[in-house]
Amino acid sequence: AAVASAVIIQTAEKLQQNAQKTGDDTASELRAKINVLGGYLDDQATDNYVLLVKLAAGSEDISTDDIIVQMQCGTTANNQLGGAGVAIEDMDTIDDGIADVGTMAADTGYAMQITGAAACNAESSIPVFIHIKGAGSTYEVLQIDDRTDGAPII
């Protein structure tokens, strides 16, 4: 009986540790994640893409410096864009140009402009990954049927 009790206690402790680790991993993954709501081609140049984004429910505020965008364009694998290649503007104060806000808040919509992706101009379907350092990732496929300025891409 003592041996059986010890085995049951060890098993229960192991299950509790596994559950705690799974919970911690899930919380870390969901700490911040970006939802893509829509998008269009920028009217300044055909190699600029604008994604309308918002942080997922329950996300914490994040620094835009922690965002990495990867686009798969033809033979250009994982074209990493960040910093100067990605600008994020608050949709509540959108103006003629997109200026980086510095921090994304959970209850605000944003326009994420992706520049420097000229290798994607010949593509009609562009896989995009949006990573947040130390948090979640988002995968979206941009479907481009029309290359005119302002055309929807999602």
Side-chain angles (χ1 to χ4, degrees):
V3 172
S5 296
V7 169
I8 290 171
I9 290 170
Q10 282 181 327
T11 302
E13 286 177 356
K14 182 67 173 167
L15 289 172
Q16 188 275 334
Q17 290 170 354
N18 288 345
Q20 182 67 42
K21 182 175 180 349
T22 301
D24 291 346
D25 291 346
T26 301
S28 176
E29 181 71 18
L30 297 177
R31 181 179 66 82
K33 185 173 165 91
I34 292 179
N35 288 336
V36 178
L37 308 173
Y40 60 90
L41 290 174
D42 191 315
D43 62 355
Q44 298 173 12
T46 58
D47 64 343
N48 291 346
Y49 303 86
V50 177
L51 301 179
L52 305 175
V53 299
K54 188 173 187 176
L55 288 176
S59 294
E60 299 174 3
D61 294 355
I62 61 162
S63 168
T64 56
D65 292 337
D66 290 341
I67 296 173
I68 298 169
V69 177
Q70 293 178 289
M71 299 176 78
Q72 179 79 31
C73 304
T75 59
T76 305
N78 294 325
N79 182 16
Q80 281 201 7
L81 304 167
V86 178
I88 300 173
E89 182 177 6
D90 183 331
M91 290 297 288
D92 292 337
T93 60
I94 197 164
D95 56 22
D96 293 335
I98 293 184
D100 201 339
V101 294
T103 301
M104 290 179 69
D107 296 329
T108 306
Y110 296 91
M112 175 186 290
Q113 184 181 48
I114 304 168
T115 60
C120 297
N121 286 350
E123 303 293 325
S124 61
S125 180
I126 305 170
V128 176
F129 293 90
I130 304 171
H131 307 287
I132 300 173
K133 295 176 188 173
S137 294
T138 299
Y139 173 76
E140 189 71 51
V141 177
L142 307 183
Q143 294 296 331
I144 303 170
D145 299 323
D146 180 2
R147 283 260 170 209
T148 58
D149 294 338
I153 58 175
I154 294 185

